Amino acid sequence: MKHFQFLCVLTVLFGLSAVAGASEPQNTDINWAGCGITKKAFMAELAKSYEAKTGIHISLSGGGATKGIRNAAAGNIDIGGACRTSLDSLDIERNAHQIPVAWDALVVVTNKNNLVDNITFDQLKQVYLGNITNWKELGGNDAPIELYVRRGKMSGVGRTLRELVFNNFDQEFKATYVVKSSGPVEKGVMGNINGLGVTGISSAKKRDIKILKLNDHEPSYEKIRNGDYVLYRPLYLVTKRGSTDQKIRDFIRYAVSQEGQEIIRQQGTVPYTEAMALVMKQLDQYERASRSGAYRTSADSQI
């Protein structure tokens, strides 16, 4: 199964030999594109630090996890950023080589003036199914819940939510607003007291919005690290499988080095190597999803 890659801890620290070989000529830039949550979690600071250390500039652009995976796999960019695994069932993603470097939590967000502070796992599920539609059912005001979701089923947030909450990659959501990325989800709830959405904590904590507790657990650094907060996923750097570009290999090594992981930690993001116990917890989650039939759906073919 694709997800057993999480057991290969040595892939993070030493497995870069998979891209070993004769080095190609270097240029002075590295092009990175992909998941906006990954960018906000650590990539901007990591790129700045690496340039100061080496003089190599890393240009950053967004576009989402799918763009990061597919453009990196095709060799159209040097490195991608992703908050979901690549799909070996798709030719366009099969050449993606993913290196997990950090952990991110999915968080439920709303307007900072909303009265609700906590939501249960089941309540969240029922909101997305359209069975809970009023804030008073969550202990808030008598007002409609206006749900913001990202379009499509391949985004990092949407795919992880479908996998871990619904065990169904084809699950439809009863949304009020369907937007193009996580940024508009966050901006939507920021300006709408009745708005609700799910995004990555690495991005959400940089907005003026309220992050709800989930099952009475706040998504603090420690609760994410020890697995008390139940919705989490790895964040990846992505390269083309078999790449021999030395500058790419050097940056990946920097990202997983003690110095790189400390930079990630300084952003309030949990470094991948600091929470290896989450790997086994996540394998349990994947096994439950598999037993429920999640991996037999047709969502892999949908954009």
Side-chain angles (χ1 to χ4, degrees):
M1 183 186 296
K2 175 76 175 180
H3 299 297
F4 276 93
Q5 65 179 289
F6 294 117
L7 287 177
C8 300
V9 180
L10 294 181
T11 297
V12 182
L13 298 176
F14 306 110
L16 295 172
S17 60
V19 296
S23 299
E24 299 168 356
Q26 286 191 335
N27 58 39
T28 56
D29 285 352
I30 292 175
N31 297 313
W32 182 99
C35 170
I37 289 170
T38 301
K39 180 180 176 182
K40 291 181 179 179
F42 61 83
M43 195 60 210
E45 292 78 10
L46 204 60
K48 181 178 179 180
S49 176
Y50 192 70
E51 182 171 5
K53 186 180 183 72
T54 66
I56 295 177
H57 175 70
I58 303 175
S59 61
L60 305 176
S61 61
T66 298
K67 178 180 178 180
I69 291 170
R70 294 181 180 181
N71 282 359
N76 296 328
I77 56 175
D78 295 316
I79 302 174
C83 49
R84 68 165 175 85
T85 57
S86 58
L87 305 175
D88 286 343
S89 59
L90 299 179
D91 289 341
I92 199 169
E93 296 190 7
R94 195 165 293 149
N95 281 331
H97 175 59
Q98 293 187 282
I99 303 95
V101 295
W103 295 96
D104 185 56
L106 295 187
V107 293
V108 186
V109 295
T110 187
N111 185 274
K112 65 179 181 179
N113 294 318
N114 194 295
L115 297 179
V116 173
D117 295 310
N118 182 69
I119 190 170
T120 69
F121 197 84
D122 186 63
Q123 286 172 335
L124 177 64
K125 184 174 183 178
Q126 298 309 314
V127 168
Y128 271 78
L129 292 175
N131 297 328
I132 292 179
T133 59
N134 195 293
W135 281 103
K136 67 181 180 181
E137 298 175 79
L138 303 179
N141 290 328
D142 184 2
I145 296 173
E146 299 183 20
L147 180 62
Y148 291 78
V149 303
R150 182 171 174 174
R151 70 186 177 203
K153 298 175 181 177
M154 294 283 284
S155 72
V157 171
R159 187 170 176 82
T160 303
L161 201 61
R162 287 177 171 88
E163 181 175 39
L164 300 184
V165 177
F166 297 94
N167 299 328
N168 179 7
F169 289 129
D170 283 332
Q171 182 64 55
E172 298 290 342
F173 297 153
K174 300 292 186 180
T176 310
Y177 302 102
V178 179
V179 298
K180 66 178 182 179
S181 66
S182 295
V185 170
E186 296 160 8
K187 291 177 181 178
V189 302
M190 189 164 60
N192 181 358
I193 195 169
N194 295 323
L196 183 142
V198 170
T199 187
I201 189 172
S202 301
S203 181
K205 67 186 180 183
K206 297 184 179 181
R207 305 275 192 189
D208 190 21
I209 53 181
K210 178 184 283 189
I211 298 174
L212 302 186
K213 294 178 182 179
L214 182 62
N215 287 346
D216 295 317
H217 288 297
E218 61 183 14
S220 66
Y221 185 97
E222 183 59 26
K223 288 186 182 297
I224 295 169
R225 190 190 66 80
N226 66 24
D228 284 346
Y229 188 83
V230 295
L231 285 183
Y232 56 85
R233 74 290 178 67
L235 299 177
Y236 302 91
L237 296 179
V238 190
T239 65
K240 182 178 181 180
R241 192 176 302 278
S243 170
T244 59
D245 193 325
Q246 187 65 44
K247 73 177 187 298
I248 296 175
R249 295 169 61 204
D250 287 345
F251 177 75
I252 298 296
R253 285 196 177 96
Y254 179 72
V256 301
S257 71
Q258 184 175 350
E259 182 177 349
Q261 294 280 282
E262 177 58 29
I263 291 170
I264 292 172
R265 186 182 296 106
Q266 289 172 0
Q267 311 317 310
T269 300
V270 179
Y272 189 78
T273 53
E274 191 173 300
M276 299 311 301
L278 295 186
V279 175
M280 294 309 299
K281 287 177 176 286
Q282 206 166 40
L283 286 175
D284 289 341
Q285 292 173 329
Y286 294 144
E287 179 60 28
R288 288 195 296 272
S290 181
R291 289 198 301 267
S292 298
Y295 303 107
R296 296 193 296 271
T297 71
S298 61
D300 286 2
S301 64
Q302 299 190 36
I303 303 301

